[in-house]
Amino acid sequence: MNVHHTEDIDWDALGAQLEREAELHTPFLEKAAGWLRDLLGAGDGAHTRIHRVLDVGSGPGVATCLLARFFPHAETVAVDQTAGLLERARMRAAKQHLSGRVITQQADLPEEFDTLSPADLIWTSHVVHHLGDQQAALDALAGALRTGGMLAVVERGLAPRFLPRDIGMGRPGLQARLDAAMEDRFTAIRDQLPGSEPTVEDWPAMLARAGLIPTGTRTFLTDLPAPLGLPAREHLHAHLTRLYTLVGDRLDDEDRTTLERLVDGDACTGILWRPDAFYLAATTVHTARACPAA
């Protein structure tokens, strides 16, 4: 879910990591889907009129399949640019006996926004900030909504925390410095995106400029206390390994050494074995609806 943009991501190779990360956020996804169902009128049976759901930037389809379960009368479409991730989405749907209602669509964004079929609900998670013109992306997504349909945009919550400030090696505050290094890298890359436009990321205001009616913003917690189970530890090991590749050259020698010790799979100081590792993330969902028919 929360993968920073980079121009050279091998999404196929990252498929397992993305799926594992999304599964860690299942409690958030379930609460968010329930909230969307309520906003769309589950109490009066209106959710039965949700016939088409798009998960734009679906990755391996974890959210796609969950949305299919929460909206059982809808065809749910996983939309992504990477064939390998869409294959994972199809396999996941088959395992959950959802193949009859979950389909996939390969599309390059933003170039192929116009290929999206009209939908009653569009979910897009950590996708818009990967695109140069974020407002144009929201405009295009709004244009794919049916009358009265809802757009749910997951963007820019708080970065996950998983280590204490002082981990007993190196200088305290390593994770804050890693976050800062990634943010600097991300900002530099965003500036080079095709059609990049500076944007004040006021998401409700941006949704309103797209011609929609903002209908609420909520933040959901994923709180996995220590000691973590193996899937969460494996995700954090892969995450820290990737951070070392992406921003290791931006760190001083002491922080690089500490990061190396954290990703050492055989060391008791490594993330795979530390008893103090936890996982806490805050994810924000912004919603807006297309104007209903008069």
Side-chain angles (χ1 to χ4, degrees):
M1 291 177 62
N2 190 22
V3 181
H4 280 274
H5 176 86
T6 178
E7 69 278 8
D8 56 357
I9 289 178
D10 182 347
W11 295 108
D12 288 316
L14 277 177
Q17 181 182 341
L18 292 173
E19 194 163 2
R20 184 169 53 221
E21 180 181 13
E23 288 172 346
L24 291 183
H25 289 264
T26 295
F28 143 64
L29 291 170
E30 291 176 340
K31 291 175 184 176
W35 178 53
L36 295 178
R37 189 173 58 186
D38 290 343
L39 288 176
L40 287 163
D44 60 9
H47 68 291
T48 64
R49 298 193 293 272
I50 307 301
H51 299 301
R52 188 174 180 82
V53 176
L54 301 183
D55 180 4
V56 178
S58 63
V62 176
T64 312
C65 292
L66 188 142
L67 289 167
R69 295 201 306 273
F70 271 75
F71 296 93
H73 300 276
E75 176 184 68
T76 305
V77 186
V79 182
D80 205 278
Q81 65 181 2
T82 304
L85 295 181
L86 291 176
E87 177 59 24
R88 281 185 172 270
R90 287 189 290 271
M91 293 172 59
R92 188 177 188 86
K95 289 178 182 178
Q96 298 184 14
H97 307 290
L98 295 169
S99 296
R101 293 195 298 107
V102 171
I103 64 173
T104 61
Q105 177 183 349
Q106 188 168 1
D108 289 328
L109 303 178
E111 295 83 1
E112 296 183 317
F113 268 128
D114 59 356
T115 67
L116 301 179
S117 299
D120 303 294
L121 171 64
I122 298 176
W123 168 275
T124 184
S125 178
H126 297 100
V127 171
V128 176
H129 75 268
H130 288 268
L131 306 177
D133 191 334
Q134 297 179 90
Q135 185 62 56
L138 292 179
D139 294 348
L141 289 168
L145 286 174
R146 291 173 175 158
T147 300
M150 177 173 288
L151 174 59
V153 180
V154 183
E155 281 291 351
R156 309 301 279 176
L158 300 178
R161 315 306 299 172
F162 48 86
L163 287 171
R165 184 187 69 88
D166 191 336
I167 60 173
M169 55 184 184
R171 287 186 296 134
L174 172 67
Q175 189 169 359
R177 293 191 294 278
L178 290 175
D179 289 343
M182 281 298 290
E183 190 62 36
D184 287 346
R185 183 179 186 277
F186 171 73
T187 299
I189 290 173
R190 258 210 62 81
D191 290 343
Q192 301 303 314
L193 288 173
S196 179
E197 292 285 343
T199 303
V200 176
E201 292 176 345
D202 179 347
W203 296 98
M206 294 165 70
L207 289 167
R209 286 197 293 274
L212 303 178
I213 302 171
T215 48
T217 292
R218 278 188 61 180
T219 297
F220 301 85
L221 288 181
T222 299
D223 184 6
L224 305 178
L228 286 176
L230 183 59
R233 291 177 178 277
E234 288 177 338
H235 163 67
L236 291 178
H237 183 265
H239 175 67
L240 287 170
T241 300
R242 182 164 175 76
L243 286 182
Y244 186 84
T245 300
L246 295 179
V247 299
D249 59 349
R250 297 171 182 252
L251 306 176
D252 62 27
D253 290 343
E254 185 176 16
D255 280 349
R256 272 197 305 276
T257 298
T258 302
L259 191 51
E260 288 169 356
R261 294 178 69 186
L262 281 171
V263 299
D264 185 342
D266 296 322
C268 62
T269 55
I271 197 69
L272 289 175
W273 304 103
R274 297 186 65 92
D276 56 356
F278 60 94
Y279 189 85
L280 179 65
T283 311
T284 301
V285 184
H286 309 276
T287 67
R289 297 188 73 166
C291 294

